[in-house]
Amino acid sequence: MMSGKEYLESLRAMKPSVYIYGKRDPEYYSHPAIAPAVNAVRETYEVAADPALDPELHVLAVAESDLTGGKINRFNKIIQSKEDLAMRMKLQRAMMRRTGGCFGGRCVAGAVINALWSVTFDVDAEKGTPYHARFRAFMKMVQEKDLTVAGNITDAKGDRSLPPHQQPDPDLFVRIEEIRPDGIVVNGAKLQQSGAPIAHERLIVPTTALGPKDEAYAVAFAVPGDAPGVIHVNDTACANAKFSMMDAEDIGNAEFGMHQSAHIIFDHVFIPNERVFLCGEWKASRDLVHRFSDLQRLASASCRCGHIDLCMGAAMAMADYNGVAGKAHIQEKLVDMSVDAETLYGMVAGSAYLSSPTPSGMYLPETLTVNAAKLYMNDAILKTGQRLAEIGGGILITRPTGRDLAVPKIGELLKKYHQGRAGTDTMDRIKMARLAESLSGLSGPTTILSVIAAGPPATQRLNFRLLSDFGRNRKAAERLAGVVSRK
Ligand SMILES: Cc1cc2nc3c(=O)[nH]c(=O)nc-3n(C[C@H](O)[C@H](O)[C@H](O)COP(=O)(O)OP(=O)(O)OC[C@H]3O[C@@H](n4cnc5c(N)ncnc54)[C@H](O)[C@@H]3O)c2cc1C
């Protein structure tokens, strides 16, 4: 298996076309707009290669392969039992607890790999096509070389109300442009692809269930990142701009804390036959979309449990520095965070327990349970950020920069005015505030300002404790119940 260092070397050896802020960058992997994601993927290699780094995580990160007979990274494993699903779930949570940031969308790849594994099996059984054997050979190579795969699903889609063949521009969904004896030529784009430039291979599948007139869009294939005609343009969320603009010390989790994604443009790209896994089988797209969606929902919901774990940890630390760790409303919020993490985890575990095998032997989580988990996650993650901001306070978005802290006299004064409870370290408080801001996902001042400024929510609740006419209401209830009021 590859070490983290070898993963970095393998990226340097590839020569993909990657544009960042308007320029093609041959050293894209070290650009600040991408490097934290590279670090997080590197970490998935490190924990698998080195048992001493994190023994608990190592056990989750390494799996036995049915294809190679050897040890492989679990992100590349075909899920062949309920236990495999449970291990995937545990790996996602523990890995996120370690990095606090997306590890290059390796979860998406796992979902696409497994969905394609099972669907190519079904298509071959019905039509006698060679797709499953080809995909098996591809996955054996991926496992043996311990490669990273990016799962590429989301098309440009144009007018969302129209199917691919009715779009005014035929390339708004990736399509087969030409079929040749030795392969196909594809054209189109996949947008917002997690970890796209930093994976060795891209695995492309349709984004939606297709109809008979969409045959040209029913295409699945693998292509290396540096194949001719494959172009990456890095996505730029404002929140990620801080990695290019700010000093690392001012960014919470500068090493890993970025979700990196990119657009991939396929500019008339030739794909040899051995890398083509669907070519016109439009009926298969429905199962494919259903299967990767459910597998992806299991992975991302598990991942967010690890994220809530970290938010809880940061909230506890901030409460301690602020001297309010024991206060009832803080404890209540921490418990609420834990309840959300375990409820979510329980739902994912339920979907794994209720999973069933597809004809290929690949296990699929139970659909309703895993979709309920994903919906629960959407709300839980927003509430978590809000609770973290409530507990941490305004310092999450107002702390001084490292450069300010380094100015003689001013720096000392800033530290004096940022101290918390006696016995805690002021710089620890500032560092944790940076991380908490990053984890909260509420980096724009408006959200944290709304939660905290004009007083944290506990102070508004206090008004209700003081001013609500509880006595009047109790008397009203006692009168109706026929109870003599003793108050
Ligand atoms: C940070 C990030 C990372 C991502 N990583 C990956 C990745 O690794 N791989 C990958 O393949 N994708 C990835 N995605 C893409 C993600 O799966 C899509 O964002 C998602 O599927 C929604 O597509 P969209 O953004 O085009 O939204 P839209 O399709 O534009 O949806 C916007 C709204 O329109 C509604 N809508 C759309 N079509 C219809 C319709 N026909 N009828 C009714 N309502 C409709 C939707 O419900 C939604 O409310 C990523 C996205 C983000 C933001």
Side-chain angles (χ1 to χ4, degrees):
M1 293 171 72
M2 257 199 244
S3 67
K5 190 163 166 266
E6 286 165 336
Y7 163 67
L8 295 182
E9 280 161 10
S10 69
L11 283 189
R12 286 192 194 105
M14 290 180 75
K15 303 285 172 226
S17 164
V18 183
Y19 287 81
I20 308 170
Y21 293 131
K23 280 197 194 126
R24 185 171 173 177
D25 189 341
E27 292 181 2
Y28 65 97
Y29 41 80
S30 54
H31 192 288
I34 290 189
V38 173
N39 295 341
V41 176
R42 186 202 65 211
E43 201 70 357
T44 65
Y45 281 96
E46 286 291 330
V47 294
D50 181 1
L53 197 61
D54 187 334
E56 197 187 328
L57 190 46
H58 175 77
V59 171
L60 299 171
V62 177
E64 299 278 335
S65 167
D66 288 321
L67 304 179
T68 67
K71 295 216 180 299
I72 55 165
N73 196 303
R74 185 173 296 282
F75 286 110
N76 288 334
K77 178 160 177 23
I78 307 300
I79 294 167
Q80 284 164 319
S81 64
K82 293 184 183 198
E83 180 61 15
D84 274 352
L85 274 173
M87 291 294 273
R88 179 65 65 102
M89 168 186 103
K90 290 177 189 173
L91 170 62
Q92 291 286 149
R93 183 175 188 171
M95 196 69 222
M96 177 51 86
R97 210 163 35 222
R98 184 168 179 87
T99 60
C102 176
F103 17 100
R106 296 203 73 174
C107 57
V108 188
V112 176
I113 287 168
N114 279 281
L116 203 50
W117 176 269
S118 64
V119 165
T120 52
F121 183 93
D122 298 346
V123 171
D124 286 7
E126 190 194 333
K127 295 180 177 280
T129 40
Y131 300 132
H132 191 68
R134 284 180 190 171
F135 192 58
R136 175 183 280 269
F138 170 74
M139 280 312 301
K140 190 160 178 279
M141 183 276 293
V142 163
Q143 292 184 353
E144 274 166 356
K145 294 189 174 172
D146 199 12
L147 300 182
T148 309
V149 178
N152 305 141
I153 306 141
T154 308
D155 288 286
K157 294 186 293 192
D159 181 338
R160 272 70 172 150
S161 69
L162 299 177
H165 73 274
Q166 281 180 12
Q167 298 286 339
D169 184 327
D171 295 325
L172 293 179
F173 290 73
V174 170
R175 70 183 173 107
I176 306 162
E177 197 178 32
E178 189 188 341
I179 300 183
R180 296 181 186 165
D182 53 345
I184 59 174
V185 177
V186 296
N187 209 41
K190 293 287 184 183
L191 305 191
Q192 37 198 51
Q193 301 299 308
S194 300
I198 61 174
H200 305 106
E201 292 282 348
R202 285 107 194 83
L203 194 52
I204 289 83
V205 292
T207 198
T208 188
L210 303 167
K213 291 186 179 159
D214 294 321
E215 214 176 73
Y217 299 92
V219 62
F221 60 92
V223 65
D226 52 2
V230 178
I231 302 160
H232 306 83
V233 183
N234 198 48
D235 297 349
T236 313
C238 287
N240 284 354
K242 68 182 176 189
F243 289 87
S244 300
M245 312 287 290
M246 291 173 72
D247 295 334
E249 65 177 330
D250 293 326
I251 302 170
N253 196 7
E255 188 173 11
F256 303 122
M258 170 198 284
H259 190 122
Q260 179 275 332
S261 61
H263 297 347
I264 312 178
I265 298 167
F266 299 99
D267 189 20
H268 312 285
V269 176
F270 176 72
I271 311 293
N273 278 334
E274 65 270 20
R275 282 174 164 266
V276 177
F277 310 124
L278 285 179
C279 185
E281 292 76 14
W282 60 271
K283 277 188 190 157
S285 59
R286 187 169 294 276
D287 280 345
L288 193 55
V289 171
H290 164 221
R291 291 178 193 176
F292 70 60
S293 299
D294 282 0
L295 287 161
Q296 179 54 21
R297 284 161 198 170
L298 175 135
S300 60
S302 310
C303 203
R304 292 320 174 281
C305 295
H307 181 88
I308 300 175
D309 291 341
L310 270 179
C311 288
M312 230 186 297
M316 284 172 71
M318 286 306 295
D320 181 33
Y321 302 139
N322 291 345
V324 294
K327 300 290 178 192
H329 77 95
I330 301 282
Q331 291 293 322
E332 196 182 312
K333 287 181 188 77
L334 289 171
V335 167
D336 285 345
M337 287 162 110
S338 184
V339 168
D340 268 349
E342 301 315 325
T343 304
L344 185 53
Y345 204 50
M347 292 167 97
V348 180
S351 78
Y353 178 74
L354 298 173
S355 62
S356 49
T358 56
S360 68
M362 191 282 291
Y363 270 69
L364 201 57
E366 198 279 321
T367 293
L368 289 181
T369 334
V370 85
N371 280 273
K374 168 67 170 62
L375 285 171
Y376 190 88
M377 173 193 107
N378 295 350
D379 284 342
I381 217 71
L382 293 174
K383 279 190 283 174
T384 297
Q386 186 171 345
R387 286 177 183 134
L388 175 54
E390 276 187 52
I391 293 174
I395 188 175
L396 266 60
I397 47 164
T398 59
R399 79 267 161 179
T401 66
R403 291 187 201 195
D404 295 318
L405 291 163
V407 177
K409 187 167 177 210
I410 302 293
E412 289 314 307
L413 286 170
L414 286 170
K415 282 188 194 148
K416 170 180 157 76
Y417 293 117
H418 280 85
Q419 65 186 302
R421 181 174 67 74
T424 60
D425 186 304
T426 304
M427 278 315 295
D428 286 352
R429 182 170 180 254
I430 291 174
K431 282 186 203 164
M432 191 57 72
R434 293 171 183 151
L435 177 68
E437 181 202 17
S438 163
L439 290 172
S440 76
L442 304 176
S443 280
T446 310
T447 8
I448 293 186
L449 181 106
S450 306
V451 172
I452 282 291
T459 58
Q460 287 109 64
R461 287 198 193 94
L462 183 64
N463 279 307
F464 290 90
R465 274 196 13 230
L466 295 175
L467 302 176
S468 289
D469 202 342
F470 293 111
R472 174 200 65 192
N473 296 340
R474 179 166 171 172
K475 281 201 180 81
E478 286 171 339
R479 182 176 56 77
L480 274 182
V483 170
V484 179
S485 181
R486 298 187 196 282
K487 282 267 172 185

